[in-house]
Amino acid sequence: MADREDNVTVPEFSSLLQMDPYLKPYEKDFKRRYDLLQKRLFELEEAEGGFDQFTRSYKTFGVQRQPDNSLFFKEWAPAAEALFLTGDFNGWDKFSHPYTKKDFGKWELILPPKHDKSPAVDHHTKLKVVVHTKEGERLYRISPWAKYVKREEKSVIYDWVHWDPPQPYNQVHSRPTKPTSLRIYEAHVGIASPEGKIASYTNFTNNVLPRIKDLGYNCIQLMAVMEHAYYASFGYQITSFFAASSRYGTPDELKELIDVAHSMGIVVLLDVVHSHASKNTEDGLNHFDGSNSCYFHSPPRGEHTLWDSRLFNYSSWEVLRFLLSNLRWWMEEYRFDGFRFDGITSMLYHHHGIGTGFSGDYSEYFGLQVDEDSLVYLMLANHILHTLYPDCITVAEDVSGMPALCRPVEEGGLGFDYRLAMAIPDKWIQILKELKDEDWNIGNITHTLTNRRYGEKCIAYAESHDQALVGDKTLAFWLMDKEMYTSMSSMIPMNPIINRGIQLHKMIRLVTHGLGGEGYLNFIGNEFGHPEWLDFPREGNNQSYHYARRQFNLVDMDHLRYCQLYAFDRDMNRTEDKYGWLAAPPAYVSAKHEEDKVIVFDRANVVFIFNFHPNKSFQGYRVGVEVPGKYKIKLDSDMAQYGGHGRLDHSTEFFTEAQPFNGRSNSILVYIPCRTAIVLANEEIDYCY
């Protein structure tokens, strides 16, 4: 193998080394990974006629209606002794429709059409695969390729429901072009309403999409779409990988949601879970053919001790077929624009990140602890997605900081477009929990916001769904807590807690937006300071929906201050849209003043000034700027419409002096009130980026 690695060439590895020379000692690892990828692609070419055909396996597996209306059924169940199809169509006869055994653990069955030439199985009727095991057991299973599954109200188990509507929804709007600045609205359809119930795709289309558009987000990341039997798993314990969750409505209603988003110029990403699968057997993948493996590694390797779930065998040909076709299915059938890959850290390492801290030492990312089967699966997935769909966006959720995660496959990277900057929200929670305002470490905040691998794009966020979950709470609630129940009226003066909370909520978001990455993410409702936390109906809370909803009604009440936070979030995004700082190179931080609690940086020729001091305002404060000329205020967190105190005059023109300051060629003198953030732009620059 060593000799073979020496002969492998990673086409653009030199570009990666130019960016990070410290990766040179691990060249062999990069070569081995790239070689494994090339071997996979070669095998796909040889055995399946290439990845294009292979990843369309959703057109041959499960159930397919043929041109003559006969139905073709196909499954992979290598350990099964026999397979039968049963359902409403045959009066639930368990033996009348046997599958025929084929090579490589495949099973096939053809159902001719009825006398009237219509398909033998009607649209919206139930089906089951009956699996006979070698041990003589009879198991009732849902096809892993099922496109629609549904749970009866009184039932615990989901049913496979044949989905073949007479007039399927046709999407008419083309995909928007890939945004250069990614502003993501992370959303969950089921909680997207103030009502104490599971909200629908249609509610999201009609009531939430217009808000997202108004707020200036150009990308939606949809969580909990892949079917999951347990609602409180937040969509992370998948039972049916090809089925859009029926608890929110039909597949056609999800297609319409995406179509309408596209009409608004918004791209839609799917939160895809290929890192593990639910342990459910009757309505999940587990024990599909009666064996302990099939789609998964045998225990213990095939079990995640912390998540209590099953782990895929990424070296298996049929698992690759299943997962890669799954990605293609969501892109083709629903016309998603890309994916946020969940739980990447668990995939990349044999230890799954359990009980392991990452110091950033490069030896942690190479060697025997790395699971190269799953690493190569991710390279393969990114290579195929970006080849077939050049505008496809892929985002990795990885806490380890794996180098080259977001570099092209040709350089030896994993091929993701973005990684989530997961240290940033943790830092904000830690600060709010542990430090008094006067003890905030400005240098440490700046370091956390700028500490990212050069050349690998990050999605920055102050909080996501993780921070809102039960046991934690939203940033707004950390800041203002129970005062939010009684003191959010704009008809009364702000008390000190509300004043602090409103001002810091805006500043935390803007400094994260401007400094923290090449994309920005907000979790549904947090843009307007959603109170409390998130908790799904479960035994521990008497199946309550009280915390499993988003109270958009709070924004619509003009006398409450939520609409002020909403307005700031909207104008922050719109200002970015105009100046494009997310698409610009990282910021130059010219000031991080501990005593003054001031941060100043410029990015995309826009100057950001933050005064985090709880009570000190600064008159005639010198700020370094690079480009000479006349500057004006373009965004000001202290405006009254944002719940501020209106202390700044927006007609003020700031003229540069040829006095270098803090590493910048010129400087201006500004007034910055306490707990205020301002964005200045040069009036003499054409900002069309």
Side-chain angles (χ1 to χ4, degrees):
M1 185 71 190
D3 297 340
R4 185 188 166 93
E5 277 160 25
D6 291 335
N7 298 328
V8 175
T9 307
V10 181
E12 292 165 34
F13 187 60
S14 57
S15 306
L16 184 65
L17 285 186
Q18 225 168 344
M19 212 164 273
D20 188 352
Y22 291 103
L23 290 172
K24 179 70 178 163
Y26 304 99
E27 185 169 2
K28 270 198 165 167
D29 295 82
F30 283 102
K31 282 185 169 184
R32 187 174 60 255
R33 292 170 183 183
Y34 190 78
D35 185 38
L36 289 167
L37 171 72
Q38 292 306 316
K39 247 164 69 182
R40 272 285 179 230
L41 288 168
F42 177 74
E43 288 163 2
L44 285 174
E45 203 62 55
E46 291 285 286
E48 303 276 346
F51 62 71
D52 187 11
Q53 201 55 38
F54 186 64
T55 57
R56 287 180 190 269
S57 293
Y58 57 82
K59 291 188 174 221
T60 48
F61 279 74
V63 55
Q64 310 294 332
R65 179 158 53 84
Q66 306 299 330
D68 67 348
N69 272 352
S70 61
L71 294 174
F72 175 69
F73 292 81
K74 184 172 184 174
E75 298 298 344
W76 176 62
E81 190 63 37
L83 250 64
F84 296 87
L85 185 72
T86 188
D88 292 330
F89 79 99
N90 68 0
W92 294 96
D93 189 316
K94 297 185 280 287
F95 301 106
S96 57
H97 290 83
Y99 284 71
T100 307
K101 190 171 188 178
K102 301 290 181 184
D103 289 342
F104 308 113
K106 312 274 175 47
W107 300 81
E108 292 177 3
L109 165 64
I110 295 169
L111 289 186
K114 297 181 198 166
H115 293 305
D116 64 0
K117 300 284 187 286
S118 65
V121 179
D122 294 333
H123 169 58
H124 223 281
T125 59
K126 292 179 192 171
L127 292 164
K128 275 266 198 289
V129 179
V130 186
V131 178
H132 287 236
T133 70
K134 291 184 169 63
E135 292 73 40
E137 282 182 287
R138 186 190 302 153
L139 310 170
Y140 293 88
R141 295 287 184 258
I142 290 175
S143 167
W145 301 80
K147 298 175 176 75
Y148 188 59
V149 296
K150 211 171 173 186
R151 185 172 63 83
E152 299 288 338
E153 207 167 317
K154 299 276 188 286
S155 174
V156 180
I157 303 296
Y158 273 73
D159 292 306
W160 175 19
V161 177
H162 183 51
W163 187 260
D164 188 13
Q167 271 97 37
Y169 181 84
N170 283 321
Q171 289 164 306
V172 291
H173 298 285
S174 55
R175 296 179 197 271
T177 51
K178 183 178 180 175
T180 46
S181 290
L182 205 57
R183 300 183 298 274
I184 302 173
Y185 194 85
E186 183 186 32
H188 183 294
V189 171
I191 67 169
S193 136
E195 295 173 68
K197 63 175 192 182
I198 298 176
S200 65
Y201 294 124
T202 305
N203 163 71
F204 198 94
T205 305
N206 296 338
N207 300 321
V208 186
L209 284 182
R211 292 182 191 270
I212 297 171
K213 174 70 176 163
D214 178 57
L215 281 160
Y217 291 95
N218 55 18
C219 175
I220 297 166
Q221 183 179 297
L222 272 190
M223 309 174 63
V225 167
M226 298 166 78
E227 190 61 273
H228 47 293
Y230 184 42
Y231 188 46
S233 75
F234 217 151
Y236 290 120
Q237 295 269 346
I238 306 297
T239 41
S240 288
F241 283 74
F242 287 82
S245 182
S246 60
R247 54 169 64 82
Y248 320 124
T250 66
D252 283 8
E253 286 160 350
L254 174 58
K255 287 178 187 179
E256 184 182 18
L257 185 163
I258 293 166
D259 202 23
V260 174
H262 285 168
S263 78
M264 295 174 169
I266 298 171
V267 296
V268 188
L269 308 183
L270 175 72
D271 199 343
V272 75
V273 187
H274 280 182
S275 45
H276 65 132
S278 164
K279 262 191 167 171
N280 288 19
T281 52
E282 289 190 58
D283 53 10
L285 282 185
N286 196 15
H287 292 185
F288 172 67
D289 63 355
S291 76
N292 218 351
S293 48
C294 197
Y295 287 93
F296 310 109
H297 284 292
S298 299
R301 189 178 174 187
E303 289 178 337
H304 197 294
T305 51
L306 218 57
W307 295 344
D308 194 31
S309 54
R310 296 303 313 266
L311 298 172
F312 287 105
N313 177 1
Y314 302 100
S315 63
S316 157
W317 192 261
E318 292 306 318
V319 171
L320 286 181
R321 180 196 304 280
F322 182 76
L323 294 175
L324 293 170
S325 297
N326 188 235
L327 296 173
R328 192 85 193 268
W329 163 256
W330 293 108
M331 292 293 288
E332 290 283 336
E333 184 71 11
Y334 288 93
R335 303 189 60 245
F336 278 95
D337 301 286
F339 303 95
R340 174 229 189 230
F341 280 75
D342 179 68
I344 293 296
T345 312
S346 171
M347 295 174 72
L348 291 175
Y349 308 97
H350 290 295
H351 54 62
H352 309 301
I354 300 172
T356 311
F358 289 93
S359 66
D361 188 292
Y362 277 14
S363 63
E364 295 166 348
Y365 306 120
F366 302 95
L368 294 177
Q369 67 267 37
V370 176
D371 186 335
E372 291 198 333
D373 289 338
S374 46
L375 184 141
V376 171
Y377 163 69
L378 292 169
M379 290 175 79
L380 192 58
N382 276 310
H383 171 72
I384 290 171
L385 285 170
H386 289 107
T387 305
L388 294 170
Y389 313 98
D391 275 358
C392 176
I393 298 165
T394 59
V395 180
E397 188 220 21
D398 168 45
V399 292
S400 76
M402 166 71 78
L405 186 70
C406 301
R407 294 305 304 168
V409 166
E410 297 70 36
E411 291 182 11
L414 272 75
F416 285 97
D417 295 295
Y418 296 89
R419 68 194 321 151
L420 291 170
M422 300 180 79
I424 296 175
D426 292 347
K427 175 56 67 179
W428 288 124
I429 294 283
Q430 182 212 341
I431 289 169
L432 295 179
K433 265 180 172 170
E434 297 173 11
L435 299 178
K436 294 194 195 114
D437 294 4
E438 53 270 28
D439 296 334
W440 283 27
N441 184 326
I442 295 298
N444 184 251
I445 291 169
T446 309
H447 174 74
T448 304
L449 287 167
T450 53
N451 181 26
R452 52 188 184 271
R453 292 187 56 78
Y454 181 74
E456 298 197 36
K457 291 193 272 196
C458 279
I459 307 284
Y461 56 106
E463 53 184 331
S464 72
H465 68 269
D466 286 325
Q467 283 68 43
L469 283 172
V470 68
D472 213 324
K473 46 193 180 185
T474 63
L475 280 184
F477 216 57
W478 274 114
L479 286 161
M480 297 175 273
D481 212 80
K482 62 181 187 302
E483 290 292 325
M484 295 187 84
Y485 298 129
T486 53
S487 308
M488 283 297 274
S489 169
S490 50
M491 319 293 268
I492 54 170
M494 284 188 276
N495 67 34
I497 291 173
I498 294 293
N499 180 32
R500 171 181 180 265
I502 294 273
Q503 310 323 325
L504 289 179
H505 193 271
K506 293 176 292 187
M507 295 179 72
I508 286 169
R509 286 177 139 58
L510 181 59
V511 74
T512 303
H513 206 304
L515 196 54
E518 289 67 38
Y520 176 77
L521 177 143
N522 165 71
F523 178 64
I524 181 171
N526 289 348
E527 70 277 5
F528 62 81
H530 202 287
E532 300 169 328
W533 53 87
L534 202 55
D535 190 13
F536 284 84
R538 55 191 172 85
E539 272 178 34
N541 65 15
N542 292 323
Q543 304 298 333
S544 166
Y545 283 91
H546 182 73
Y547 297 108
R549 60 198 179 107
R550 298 281 93 176
Q551 299 176 58
F552 289 113
N553 52 307
L554 296 173
V555 186
D556 301 333
M557 297 179 194
D558 291 346
H559 67 282
L560 296 181
R561 296 196 180 273
Y562 297 99
C563 60
Q564 298 172 341
L565 294 175
Y566 177 100
F568 180 77
D569 200 82
R570 177 195 65 208
D571 292 350
M572 173 174 71
N573 282 323
R574 290 182 182 180
T575 308
E576 195 289 324
D577 192 52
K578 183 173 180 182
Y579 298 107
W581 61 72
L582 288 170
Y588 179 87
V589 180
S590 61
K592 37 187 175 183
H593 199 293
E594 291 303 337
E595 200 180 323
D596 295 349
K597 301 288 176 236
V598 168
I599 300 174
V600 180
F601 60 88
D602 54 84
R603 189 173 181 189
N605 290 320
V606 177
V607 180
F608 294 76
I609 306 167
F610 295 82
N611 178 3
F612 280 100
H613 204 288
N615 47 42
K616 248 193 216 174
S617 300
F618 301 103
Q619 194 78 47
Y621 200 85
R622 189 168 294 279
V623 165
V625 297
E626 191 54 36
V627 183
K630 178 177 75 176
Y631 285 79
K632 286 195 80 170
I633 295 171
K634 299 300 173 185
L635 186 66
D636 162 20
S637 71
D638 197 47
M639 282 176 77
Q641 71 200 61
Y642 306 143
H645 302 285
R647 291 169 288 183
L648 288 163
D649 178 358
H650 284 224
S651 64
T652 308
E653 296 175 336
F654 303 94
F655 291 93
T656 54
E657 299 172 34
Q659 182 177 336
F661 190 70
N662 284 348
R664 299 328 251 158
S665 307
N666 300 279
S667 55
I668 52 175
L669 293 174
V670 296
Y671 165 51
I672 34 171
C674 60
R675 286 197 184 126
T676 295
I678 52 176
V679 175
L680 303 174
N682 191 316
E683 293 282 278
E684 294 158 29
I685 294 178
D686 178 8
Y687 279 97
C688 293
Y689 73 98

